Amino acid sequence: AGPSGPHIIGKALRAIIRKAGGFDPFTIDFDPRWFKKLPANSISQQRYFKHIEDQIFSILETQAVDVLFSTPPVIRMLMTKMSAEQRKQIKGVHYGGIASDYDEYRQFQEAFPNAVHLNGYGNSLFGVFLEREFTRGGIEYYTDSGRIELRLVQPEGLLKDVATGEEGQVLMSRYDESFMIINMLERDVATKTEYGIMNPHPIEKHKKVKVLY
């Protein structure tokens, strides 16, 4: 129930399922860019979201679905409108698209008690670093990779690395057959951990317990 059409996330999902030997997933027609362009809380925006909702429940009521892949606002809607029995049938929830905070993420886990919950941090250029641990402090992402180098640096320190436990700006490099990117400074800041990073978020929207997908 995530972005479809030309969005890279939909293509990536299909590639992962093929790699795992699975079948093409059930999907809906969803363009979040159009949703964001509509005036907030307007009738037009509500009608568009209702269109998304109708497509999802058309699938849920006729097919056996045990994994959800969507954005936090859609998962929030499903949390309130799916029956308790339907929610217990869900074995996995993968989140993407936008940020969520600790309380909301905990509510999702309680609403789908039998599911594995998974977040990822990244973008279309670099791919996704998956969630390692979720605690009261936020979500930690494991960033070890054979092709992507992620560093946290001091914004005013000529790309000097920060120490574990300190906050720094995200700096990424990519080395693979597709293309090479060297020292691309992202708009996000995060806290450096032993295994990766925690609570990445845009600099201009600083919130201590913000998580970004």
Side-chain angles (χ1 to χ4, degrees):
S4 55
H7 298 280
I8 191 67
I9 192 67
K11 295 180 179 180
L13 175 62
R14 285 183 166 85
I16 291 171
I17 292 176
R18 285 196 300 269
K19 191 72 173 179
F23 298 101
D24 205 41
F26 298 109
T27 59
I28 63 171
D29 182 18
F30 179 21
D31 189 345
R33 297 170 302 181
W34 179 241
F35 179 80
K36 293 176 182 178
K37 286 181 179 295
L38 298 172
N41 300 316
S42 64
I43 293 177
S44 57
Q45 192 179 68
Q46 293 174 28
R47 289 184 66 185
Y48 187 83
F49 196 76
K50 184 61 167 59
H51 172 61
I52 300 303
E53 179 184 325
D54 291 344
Q55 291 182 77
I56 294 172
F57 277 94
S58 177
I59 296 172
L60 290 177
E61 292 169 0
T62 59
Q63 306 296 332
V65 174
D66 54 16
V67 176
L68 300 174
F69 184 87
S70 193
T71 63
V74 174
I75 298 297
R76 191 183 312 120
M77 178 273 293
L78 293 174
M79 178 181 71
T80 60
K81 297 196 174 185
M82 290 175 68
S83 68
E85 191 59 36
Q86 285 178 314
R87 287 187 274 108
K88 288 179 181 178
Q89 299 302 313
I90 300 301
K91 300 176 182 177
V93 184
H94 192 171
Y95 304 84
I98 64 174
S100 180
D101 60 26
Y102 173 89
D103 291 331
E104 183 177 54
Y105 191 34
R106 177 59 68 195
Q107 290 174 4
F108 293 156
Q109 294 184 336
E110 293 173 351
F112 300 93
N114 298 324
V116 174
H117 297 259
L118 185 66
N119 287 282
Y121 169 71
N123 57 38
S124 297
L125 283 177
F126 295 103
V128 176
F129 297 106
L130 296 178
E131 171 185 345
R132 176 183 177 272
E133 187 177 24
F134 171 60
T135 65
R136 183 70 204 185
I139 295 180
E140 180 184 19
Y141 298 95
Y142 186 74
T143 59
D144 187 36
S145 170
R147 66 184 184 88
I148 303 295
E149 178 185 51
L150 186 149
R151 296 165 53 198
L152 295 181
V153 300
Q154 299 175 358
E156 307 298 333
L158 298 178
L159 307 186
K160 182 179 179 180
D161 290 353
V162 302
T164 299
E166 293 183 346
E167 186 176 84
Q169 191 166 355
V170 176
L171 183 77
M172 287 193 182
S173 297
R174 173 171 175 167
Y175 314 92
D176 63 20
E177 295 179 354
S178 299
F179 52 2
M180 182 169 63
I181 300 176
I182 305 295
N183 291 345
M184 183 173 179
L185 201 59
E186 294 284 324
R187 64 172 183 166
D188 297 336
V189 294
T191 300
K192 185 174 181 178
T193 69
E194 180 182 356
Y195 297 98
I197 62 174
M198 177 173 278
N199 295 336
H201 57 271
I203 295 174
E204 66 273 17
K205 296 180 180 179
H206 184 82
K207 294 184 179 179
K208 290 185 180 298
V209 192
K210 199 72 171 176
V211 293
L212 184 78
Y213 310 124

